[in-house]
Amino acid sequence: MINVIRETKRLREALTMEHITDTELQRKVCHYLNGVTDRRKPLTVTAENGDEVVIISEADYRNLRANQLVLCDPAHQAWIQESMRQVRELDAQQTPLPRALDEAK
């Protein structure tokens, strides 16, 4: 349970974005762009009219596009579903470790 809580916290932190105004971005554009690429964390910029833009690194963009292309392809979806079914089947066949061995990990 503790591992689940830690992983949830790590994911939440990974998904949080810094949020600034367009004026702030104009004043410190190099600082913010370097932050996006160095830390690989997206940046949300709010314009005066309230519209928002998210800035991400090229590596993150390529990753998103690759995932989008894979997930939109029915053949890939079927392969992923079958792989997940096989993993669940293997998990169901495994014998749980005695508690003492599990805690020693």
Side-chain angles (χ1 to χ4, degrees), residues 18-34:
E18 188 171 357
H19 197 122
I20 62 169
T21 64
D22 57 349
T23 304
E24 180 68 15
L25 177 63
Q26 290 171 3
R27 287 198 324 233
K28 297 182 178 180
V29 69
C30 288
H31 165 77
Y32 286 111
L33 293 180
N34 287 337

Side-chain angles (χ1 to χ4, degrees), residues 51-66:
D51 289 344
E52 293 185 331
V53 175
V54 176
I55 300 174
I56 60 174
S57 69
E58 180 183 12
D60 289 342
Y61 174 77
R62 288 178 185 268
N63 188 29
L64 285 171
R65 288 292 294 151

Side-chain angles (χ1 to χ4, degrees), residues 65-85:
R65 288 292 294 151
N67 285 323
Q68 181 184 29
L69 293 172
V70 166
L71 294 175
C72 289
D73 179 16
H76 279 103
Q77 284 180 348
W79 181 84
I80 291 168
Q81 292 297 321
E82 175 60 18
S83 297
M84 290 171 56
R85 186 195 64 73

